[in-house]
Amino acid sequence: MSIEIANESGVDVDTDAVLAVARHALDEMGVNPLAELSVLLVDIEYMSELNHRWMGGDGPTDVLAFPMDEGSVDHGPGESAPAGGEPALLGDIVLCPEVAGKQAAAAGHSAADELHLLTVHGVLHLLGYDHAEPEEEREMFGLQARLLASWRSTRSQ
């Protein structure tokens, strides 16, 4: 699994932990080991620009996911690898640590915990999950909680 991370946010972030939670989520979801993912951490100004340009939103958001090659994503062990063994380009997850920090304070947990949650959230979006409808939201958020719990349990061993 190839995961690239770039921290252009100006905020000190444990990028190793962000990589680890992304890798855990992808592994648990049975994503092809040849898959490639990019994680970018940005400042409020750039996230606001991306949110406006791609989502029509005003101001910054916490996470954006940009799927690249949905047709070649291996959603589970029952599916075969992409033709020719070429890596699947999952896409990009863009995180804003400053927004995550504010949300974490409001939720009563650490900024790191919020970034881990947002990373898993972004991975699930790249894999085709959504939360527009109540049933989709229950499925996605339940899966997100299970993935985070299993990742945290592996870290505490």
Side-chain angles (χ1 to χ4, degrees):
M1 189 90 46
S2 172
I3 304 173
E4 291 187 24
I5 189 163
N7 185 356
E8 299 174 4
S9 69
V11 175
D12 187 27
V13 171
D14 181 354
T15 55
D16 289 342
V18 172
L19 284 173
V21 73
R23 185 175 310 282
H24 177 80
L26 292 168
D27 287 345
E28 290 294 308
M29 294 301 295
V31 172
N32 185 318
L34 297 176
E36 295 178 5
L37 170 68
S38 170
V39 180
L40 178 63
L41 295 100
V42 300
D43 62 19
I44 283 182
E45 183 179 330
Y46 190 59
M47 184 58 104
S48 296
E49 182 183 319
L50 290 174
N51 190 32
H52 178 73
R53 184 182 329 150
W54 297 104
M55 305 304 290
D58 288 326
T61 188
D62 49 6
V63 58
L64 290 171
F66 298 99
M68 296 297 263
D69 194 6
E70 293 180 39
S72 67
V73 173
D74 183 355
H75 289 282
E79 294 185 21
S80 60
E86 290 297 315
L89 299 174
L90 293 178
D92 302 316
I93 297 171
V94 183
L95 302 167
C96 186
E98 291 171 88
V99 173
K102 291 175 185 173
Q103 290 176 175
H109 55 246
S110 74
D113 284 344
E114 186 73 11
L115 280 173
H116 303 154
L117 179 149
L118 294 172
T119 300
V120 171
H121 190 86
V123 165
L124 291 175
H125 274 306
L126 292 180
L127 296 178
Y129 289 86
D130 201 359
H131 47 85
E133 300 296 326
E135 187 175 313
E136 293 174 333
E137 182 175 335
R138 277 191 301 277
E139 179 185 14
M140 182 175 179
F141 284 55
L143 184 54
Q144 178 177 290
R146 287 190 302 276
L147 289 168
L148 280 167
S150 68
W151 180 70
R152 287 182 181 131
S153 73
T154 63
R155 287 177 54 93
S156 63
Q157 294 177 355

